[in-house]
Amino acid sequence: EVQLVQSGAEVKKPGKSLKISCKGSGYSFPTYWIGWVRQMPGKGLEWLGIIYPDDSDTRYSPSFQGQVTISADKSITTAYLQWSSLKASDTAMYFCARLMTSERFDAFDIWGQGTMVTVSS
Amino acid sequence: DIQMTQSPSSLSASVGDRVTITCQASQDIRKYLNWYQQKPGKAPKLLIYDAFNLDTGVPSRFSGSGSGTDFTFTISSLQPEDIATYYCQQSDNLPLTFGGGTKVEIK
């Protein structure tokens, strides 16, 4: 079964760092782009960026460039999203998702279950 | 960035009704428009890719059409399990962008 399994919910204080994970299985992890999508409470979907695990080619949304870091370790089929200094406005559900083809930027066909990040003092 | 304008933002319809949602892109995106369904507390699910292709296992009551800047998503006969929020997303250019969503409720 093709699936993405994300790490569990996090509660952090402002200014702290955080790294959440997304582990792929059931397919050739290195050769499919993995993206991250944010959903703030009660709001819509926002695309943060994508990474190609085979060579770590990474593209960011201009809105999130410099705010988060996307990485991947193909040896353990895991992608990551990290913050160096969290803000209350980072409170959201974060989904990882796989692009359905490697030939072009495409639809997200497989989604992780989501990781809820809460930033509060 | 390509802006995606979805309408309506919400709708209420009866079981068996035909439901239509539109999505307009701020520039030509050819056929690269995808539709997702998100139920409360769940991850989005891909329904339609490249404007009109149903993803594997998606019921045939769902359909999509359009090209260029104007796209339509249709549920031919609304079922109780279709209660969800639906999002369009363009995949012609980075950054990938989503519409604001349409919340579908049962009347």
Side-chain angles (χ1 to χ4, degrees):
Chain A
E1 180 190 6
V2 176
Q3 60 179 351
L4 297 171
V5 178
Q6 297 185 230
S7 50
E10 301 274 2
V11 180
K12 292 285 189 179
K13 294 188 185 304
K16 295 297 188 183
S17 63
L18 176 64
K19 191 174 190 178
I20 62 175
S21 67
C22 169
K23 183 171 176 61
S25 61
Y27 72 100
S28 176
F29 182 83
T31 58
Y32 284 82
W33 292 86
I34 291 283
W36 288 93
V37 175
R38 182 175 83 171
Q39 188 167 39
M40 299 177 77
K43 302 299 184 182
L45 305 173
E46 302 172 274
W47 178 74
L48 280 69
I50 49 173
I51 187 165
Y52 192 70
D54 201 35
D55 61 6
S56 292
D57 184 5
T58 308
R59 316 291 176 90
Y60 291 95
S61 165
S63 300
F64 292 95
Q65 179 89 46
Q67 308 304 307
V68 297
T69 301
I70 294 171
S71 60
D73 184 341
K74 64 182 179 180
S75 69
I76 55 171
T77 66
T78 301
Y80 301 96
L81 177 66
Q82 68 181 90
W83 297 259
S84 59
S85 180
L86 286 160
K87 302 183 287 289
S89 57
D90 293 319
T91 295
M93 180 72 82
Y94 292 87
F95 295 101
C96 65
R98 186 188 82 164
L99 286 182
M100 67 189 302
T101 68
S102 54
E103 289 78 35
R104 57 176 300 277
F105 304 117
D106 211 322
F108 291 112
D109 65 339
I110 304 295
W111 291 71
Q113 81 277 20
T115 296
M116 184 67 207
V117 173
T118 302
V119 183
S120 174
S121 53
Chain B
D1 299 7
I2 298 174
Q3 308 303 315
M4 305 303 296
T5 303
Q6 217 177 308
S7 62
S9 56
S10 66
L11 65 89
S12 182
S14 300
V15 172
D17 280 355
R18 183 181 185 88
V19 168
T20 299
I21 299 168
T22 64
C23 187
Q24 185 170 60
S26 60
Q27 64 188 66
D28 185 353
I29 58 170
R30 300 179 284 176
K31 65 176 182 177
Y32 299 117
L33 191 283
N34 313 303
W35 292 96
Y36 300 87
Q37 175 193 65
Q38 187 180 30
K39 297 184 177 181
K42 300 293 188 181
K45 173 187 174 183
L46 177 64
L47 298 180
I48 291 171
Y49 63 95
D50 294 351
F52 57 83
N53 295 296
L54 259 63
D55 197 24
T56 305
V58 174
S60 59
R61 65 179 180 276
F62 296 102
S63 65
S65 64
S67 66
T69 60
D70 295 299
F71 299 84
T72 300
F73 171 81
T74 301
I75 307 173
S76 61
S77 177
L78 186 67
Q79 300 301 303
E81 61 266 32
D82 300 336
I83 299 315
T85 300
Y86 294 84
Y87 293 93
C88 63
Q89 175 237 331
Q90 66 82 18
S91 52
D92 189 46
N93 275 309
L94 296 184
L96 304 178
T97 46
F98 291 90
T102 297
K103 187 174 184 179
V104 174
E105 298 175 318
I106 295 285
K107 192 182 293 182

